[in-house]
Amino acid sequence: MKKYESKEELKAEIQKTFEKYISEFADIPECLKDTRVGEVDRTPAENLAYQVGWTSLLLKWEEDERKGLPVHTPSAEFKWNQLGDLYQWFTDTYAHLSLQELTDKLNENVNAICAMIDSLSEEELFTPHRRKWADEATTTATWEVYKFIHVNTVAPFGTFRTKIRKWKKIALYIAVS
């Protein structure tokens, strides 16, 4: 996993990968948002719903901790061994929205994550054991907060960009044929 030297470097990487990822949706017609193709595991709406879901959870973990509330990772309803059910919940909760609404929501979440990064000290961001939610989320490893941010933004923005590009090659080809 990439190591960041500063908040600014982390935010810049989030913004760069997000802009590349979100730009892939600009030429997808709304009428194809729920189109499934065999070689790709998610539709465009499901792809965005997944990203909205994880970024929303990340923000909730930090918000709950700041309020002194118990933090449940990944969520109060799902445990780590129920990720398939959690992903389905993301789909059920968000995928009915339009591509524009999903894009707007994800943009809001990314901006909120960058604001969250700004609100944390370098120590809170890059040193282990500075957030209870980060400590309690993993039982086998110690993760700094930045790692959770990376795996819920930068990493999937890259991976899912590849998936949506593959979807577009297939689905848009079929649509114009």
Side-chain angles (χ1 to χ4, degrees):
M1 180 179 315
K2 181 175 171 125
K3 176 87 171 123
Y4 298 91
E5 299 300 320
S6 69
K7 293 180 189 188
E8 295 309 314
E9 183 184 1
L10 175 58
K11 290 189 316 182
E13 190 68 14
I14 291 168
Q15 288 297 337
K16 180 180 84 175
T17 56
F18 173 68
E19 288 170 14
K20 287 180 180 179
Y21 168 73
I22 211 68
S23 72
E24 297 295 339
F25 294 89
D27 60 347
I28 297 175
E30 183 67 25
C31 64
L32 296 180
K33 80 176 190 85
D34 298 315
T35 300
R36 190 167 305 284
V37 297
E39 295 83 359
V40 181
D41 62 344
R42 290 181 175 92
T43 68
E46 290 168 345
N47 188 306
L48 284 165
Y50 178 96
Q51 297 298 104
V52 168
W54 274 116
T55 55
S56 295
L57 285 178
L58 177 65
L59 291 164
K60 182 167 177 29
W61 299 336
E62 180 62 16
E63 177 185 345
D64 286 352
E65 179 148 336
R66 286 179 186 243
K67 290 179 177 177
L69 299 172
V71 179
H72 303 281
T73 56
S75 77
E77 296 81 16
F78 301 98
K79 298 188 182 322
W80 288 109
N81 64 354
Q82 297 174 302
L83 291 180
D85 293 333
L86 178 61
Y87 301 159
Q88 186 59 52
W89 186 86
F90 291 161
T91 296
D92 295 344
T93 303
Y94 300 112
H96 69 279
L97 299 172
S98 71
L99 292 177
Q100 187 61 57
E101 290 169 319
L102 286 162
T103 299
D104 291 346
K105 179 64 178 157
L106 186 55
N107 189 52
E108 288 173 24
N109 284 0
V110 167
N111 288 335
I113 289 168
C114 288
M116 181 182 94
I117 292 167
D118 285 337
S119 74
L120 296 169
S121 69
E122 296 279 334
E123 185 178 1
E124 289 170 319
L125 195 57
F126 296 111
T127 304
H129 311 300
R130 299 296 180 232
R131 282 293 184 269
K132 191 175 179 182
W133 64 259
D135 283 347
E136 293 177 356
T138 62
T139 57
T140 59
T142 300
W143 274 32
E144 300 86 347
V145 169
Y146 89 88
K147 288 182 180 178
F148 284 95
I149 294 170
H150 173 89
V151 301
N152 287 294
T153 59
V154 175
F157 292 158
T159 302
F160 280 49
R161 180 178 181 224
T162 301
K163 290 183 179 196
I164 202 64
R165 292 179 85 164
K166 185 174 184 177
W167 179 93
K168 284 172 33 174
K169 281 185 180 180
I170 298 166
L172 296 180
Y173 174 78
I174 293 168
V176 297
S177 296

